[in-house]
Amino acid sequence: MSSPQSYRPQVSNDLSGRVALVTGGGTGIGLMIAQGLAAAGAKVYITGRRLAVLEKVSVSWDRQIGGEILPLQVDVTDKTSISNAKKFIEGKEGKLHILVNNAGQEGPKSLFFSDPSAPESKTAESLGTALFNNESLEEWADHYKINSASIFFVTTAFLGLLAKGSEDEKGYLSSVINITSISGLIKLAQDHFCYNSAKAAATHLTKMFSTELALKNIPVRVNSIAPGVYASEMTLDEIPSDLVDKIGKGINPVPSKRAGTGQEMAATAVYLASRAGGYVYGQELIIDGGYTAVNPSTV
């Protein structure tokens, strides 16, 4: 154990001098995280396909709060775009300390699935046929591309720069944080089999990356955050308490009786990226207000 003299809690969450990249950082959960990292002192590049959205966030960020937020247009489903982003960061910074794989979409939905009164739900034949006809293989492939495959390609593209970032300070490793979801942990479809299974794949990618990099002595930690009901482009800009359970689509109501806050999301990411979380490897932090505690899940 560290001696009391060597433990300095006042700097455990300080990200000054750290360089971060947050995919899908212009809105929703990605924006919450980007702002949290910057407030802790980091220089944060936010990526997305819509440059105007990223630029608006960057211009509006008050640097007196701390850190920087800079726009970088990237399509995480395109290898050339990812490679160009890697070259840009390499040229500007020469290294990377924090990578947040947040970009994602909701994917195909079959809203009749959870409605027992829907005509599609009358028989096994009608339900199966409706699901088969309502969704397409192309939709599933596109969805897995952004919600799962992008984690693999963005992480591998930046792996060398992340390892370079770990050279700055002995024992203070660079960090990859994958934003998964409780949808990948619960045994309910929530009307979107595709999204939930893709998020489950993202959870397992986190564990595989963490294990394989550790076994190969690559100095990069990999963890994930599984949010519950949070405001985002996939839900609502603001979620009042009376809509939490409607959005969550659980069997039982969320014990906290509210949506998660930006502060809670940002603080969790800062913890994993900072010295405070430096001993955490291959873990998924579930921040869901108790959703998985009262609904059927794999945890």
Side-chain angles (χ1 to χ4, degrees):
M1 292 181 63
S2 300
S3 66
Q5 291 77 16
S6 65
Y7 173 54
R8 297 183 296 161
Q10 70 274 18
V11 298
S12 61
N13 291 322
D14 182 14
L15 296 177
S16 298
R18 308 299 273 183
V19 180
L21 186 145
V22 181
T23 68
T27 60
I29 287 174
L31 178 57
M32 295 175 193
I33 291 173
Q35 291 174 331
L37 297 176
K43 183 178 186 180
V44 185
Y45 289 91
I46 55 172
T47 80
R49 292 186 245 202
R50 296 170 296 176
L51 183 58
V53 172
L54 304 176
E55 290 176 333
K56 182 178 179 180
V57 171
S58 177
V59 170
S60 64
W61 177 249
D62 184 356
R63 293 193 181 185
Q64 291 185 354
I65 296 173
E68 299 178 70
I69 296 181
L70 303 170
L72 179 59
Q73 189 173 29
V74 180
D75 179 354
V76 296
T77 65
D78 182 89
K79 289 181 70 174
T80 299
S81 183
I82 296 169
S83 294
N84 288 340
K86 182 266 182 90
K87 292 174 185 176
F88 178 85
I89 297 295
E90 187 173 29
K92 282 284 187 179
E93 309 294 342
K95 58 191 171 184
L96 187 67
H97 302 104
I98 304 161
L99 170 62
V100 181
N101 287 308
N102 166 76
Q105 294 176 350
E106 192 172 21
K109 294 187 290 186
S110 294
L111 295 176
F112 56 80
F113 185 75
S114 60
D115 181 3
S117 65
E120 295 91 342
S121 301
K122 286 185 177 180
T123 68
E125 177 65 28
S126 63
L127 181 60
T129 299
L131 288 170
F132 183 86
N133 291 333
N134 189 58
E135 301 183 17
S136 71
L137 287 167
E138 291 76 19
E139 286 178 312
W140 274 65
D142 287 342
H143 189 66
Y144 266 76
K145 186 185 293 185
I146 187 167
N147 275 28
S148 302
S150 69
I151 291 175
F152 174 83
F153 288 102
V154 174
T155 300
T156 52
F158 284 92
L159 189 58
L161 293 181
L162 287 161
K164 187 72 175 175
S166 293
E167 297 175 5
D168 284 357
E169 184 177 333
K170 185 177 181 181
Y172 189 11
L173 302 188
S174 294
S175 175
V176 175
I177 304 170
N178 298 324
I179 306 305
T180 56
S181 172
I182 59 166
S183 292
L185 301 171
I186 63 171
K187 300 174 185 178
L188 303 171
Q190 298 173 300
D191 293 329
H192 39 50
F193 281 89
C194 184
Y195 178 82
N196 291 26
S197 58
K199 285 298 185 179
T203 290
H204 198 59
L205 271 170
T206 299
K207 296 175 181 178
M208 287 192 291
F209 265 123
S210 179
T211 295
E212 291 289 3
L213 297 185
L215 290 173
K216 291 174 173 56
N217 294 313
I218 295 174
V220 178
R221 295 183 302 109
V222 184
N223 295 285
S224 60
I225 299 172
V229 180
Y230 277 78
S232 72
E233 286 192 316
M234 289 188 288
T235 55
L236 297 169
D237 292 336
E238 293 185 18
I239 302 176
S241 298
D242 61 337
L243 290 183
V244 169
D245 295 322
K246 183 177 180 180
I247 292 171
K249 297 183 178 181
I251 294 173
N252 294 304
V254 177
S256 68
K257 299 179 181 179
R258 64 172 176 84
T261 68
Q263 184 180 39
E264 290 162 342
M265 176 60 65
T268 303
V270 170
Y271 164 72
L272 286 175
S274 67
R275 293 176 183 85
Y279 214 49
V280 183
Y281 283 69
Q283 300 302 304
E284 185 161 57
L285 301 187
I286 303 169
I287 48 174
D288 66 351
Y291 187 108
T292 52
V294 298
N295 285 290
S297 72
T298 59
V299 294

